[in-house]
């Protein structure tokens, strides 16, 4: 095989690997954002549960105040009852006391309801906090994995750059310039495999003469359509070769 063609193939492999690594690195801010969003969702769930519990406590405090007011009224009535002179007054006072007692009973029922609800709400807070702790742990693990991957990607980029310098150093300058030009115009992919008479990237059928030249792997040939440098991968050698 033409030595420069062999180097071009190596160069493309290095460039593609470096592009993959850079793409993965570029995705990191988005991945971090997704992790933070996951955490935020559960934080909000915890905040909501706590808020409900606080509301419940406030409602209970308000009910306790109400009950105290009605009980105060009741004890006042009881004192006044002693001073009552007539049966009519007595009956009226009894009626008032009946009302106040009914009120107290209704509020106490509500308080009981709120107390039962408080147990459920406290349990919900505890559950949400547990979920938050578990999620935080999972996200810390994801962040550690991401940091480790970041280091690996940086190291591999450095290694790829060093290898590239080695390959480029021994290459014909014109061939390299052609590679760089096609690479910059074709989104970093300057080489295309030719298979069965077709450029496998732009899918255009090659002229038979062009394809035959590619098969020999002795010259540097570009695809007429996409300008990529063509190479041929020989089929695995069959046991019996009768060509
Ligand atoms: Zn092509």
């Amino acid at each position: 095989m033409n030595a420069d063609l062999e180097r071009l193939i190596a160069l493309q492999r290095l460039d593609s690997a470096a592009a993959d690594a850079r793409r993965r690195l570029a995705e990191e801010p988005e991945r971090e954002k997704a992790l933070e969003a996951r955490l935020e969702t559960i934080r909000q769930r915890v905040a909501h549960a706590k808020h409900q519990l606080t509301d419940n406590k406030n409602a209970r405090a308000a009910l306790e105040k109400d009950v105290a007011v009605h009980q105060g009224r009741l004890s006042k009535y009881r004192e006044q009852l002693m001073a009552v002179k007539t049966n009519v007054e007595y009956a009226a006072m009894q009626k008032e006391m009946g009302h106040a007692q009914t009120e107290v009973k209704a509020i106490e029922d509500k308080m009981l309801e709120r107390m039962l609800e408080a147990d459920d709400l406290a349990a919900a807070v505890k559950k949400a906090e547990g979920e938050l702790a578990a999620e935080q742990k999972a996200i810390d693990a994801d962040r550690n994995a991401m940091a480790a991957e970041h280091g690996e990607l940086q190291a591999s980029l450095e290694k790829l750059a060093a290898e590239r310098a080695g390959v480029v150093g021994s290459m014909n300058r014109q061939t390299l310039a052609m590679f760089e030009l096609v690479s910059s115009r074709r989104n970093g992919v300057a080489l295309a495999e030719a298979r069965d008479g077709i450029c496998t990237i732009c899918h255009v059928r090659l002229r038979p003469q062009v394809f035959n030249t590619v098969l020999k792997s002795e010259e540097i040939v570009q695809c007429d359509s996409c300008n990529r440098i063509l190479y041929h991968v020989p089929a695995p050698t069959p046991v019996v070769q009768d060509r």
Side-chain angles (χ1 to χ4, degrees):
M1 189 189 272
N2 176 306
D4 265 347
L5 185 58
E6 215 170 296
R7 291 187 191 105
L8 285 172
I9 292 170
L11 204 53
Q12 184 61 60
R13 188 177 49 76
L14 294 171
D15 281 4
S16 295
D20 286 346
R22 276 192 290 267
R23 201 173 304 125
R24 192 73 181 147
L25 283 171
E27 284 167 4
E28 282 174 358
E30 275 305 312
R31 290 165 69 198
E32 174 53 38
K33 245 191 231 167
L35 292 182
E36 192 51 40
R38 260 168 63 190
L39 211 51
E40 187 53 31
T41 303
I42 303 207
R43 279 199 200 111
Q44 278 174 8
R45 210 178 297 158
V46 171
H48 179 69
K50 282 185 174 171
H51 189 79
Q52 282 190 312
L53 188 57
T54 306
D55 280 354
N56 174 284
K57 270 186 195 152
N58 292 339
R60 275 160 61 197
L63 290 171
E64 271 165 29
K65 240 184 189 172
D66 274 1
V67 128
V69 168
H70 289 292
Q71 273 166 344
R73 209 172 282 165
L74 263 179
S75 51
K76 213 161 150 202
Y77 289 148
R78 274 189 208 105
E79 281 170 27
Q80 288 172 353
L81 208 57
M82 310 291 189
V84 155
K85 304 259 166 37
T86 69
N87 278 341
V88 175
E89 269 182 325
Y90 187 85
M93 197 62 77
Q94 286 282 19
K95 202 176 165 196
E96 285 300 321
M97 286 174 75
H99 284 320
Q101 265 157 349
T102 308
E103 279 296 321
V104 167
K105 173 80 177 66
I107 296 169
E108 279 173 349
D109 284 350
K110 278 189 202 163
M111 280 170 68
L112 187 65
E113 222 172 89
R114 288 291 193 174
M115 276 165 70
L116 291 174
E117 191 188 68
D119 289 344
D120 289 343
L121 292 174
V125 167
K126 214 171 172 184
K127 184 167 174 270
E129 281 175 338
E131 282 167 1
L132 178 61
E135 190 71 342
Q136 181 72 65
K137 212 172 157 188
I139 283 170
D140 284 348
D142 284 353
R143 283 202 175 118
N144 287 340
M146 222 165 87
E149 192 195 340
H150 181 91
E152 282 162 20
L153 288 169
Q154 293 285 13
S156 99
L157 275 178
E158 279 170 34
K159 197 168 153 253
L160 290 167
E163 279 183 52
R164 191 184 204 277
V167 173
V168 162
S170 57
M171 250 174 96
N172 173 299
R173 293 182 71 117
Q174 265 184 320
T175 309
L176 178 62
M178 180 209 278
F179 174 91
E180 301 285 16
L181 181 68
V182 179
S183 176
S184 69
R185 286 184 179 166
R186 294 291 173 194
N187 207 19
V189 182
L191 261 69
E193 186 192 343
R195 198 190 307 143
D196 303 327
I198 287 169
C199 167
T200 56
I201 296 191
C202 75
H203 304 293
V204 158
R205 181 161 289 282
L206 305 166
R207 285 179 286 132
Q209 192 196 338
V210 171
F211 186 55
N212 280 333
T213 312
V214 175
L215 286 184
K216 285 181 200 143
S217 299
E218 282 163 8
E219 286 172 51
I220 299 207
V221 190
Q222 286 175 276
C223 169
D224 286 335
S225 170
C226 69
N227 282 335
R228 289 193 178 86
I229 298 157
L230 297 165
Y231 66 96
H232 168 67
V233 180
T237 319
V239 183
V240 182
Q241 212 162 14
D242 53 6
R243 244 184 262 176

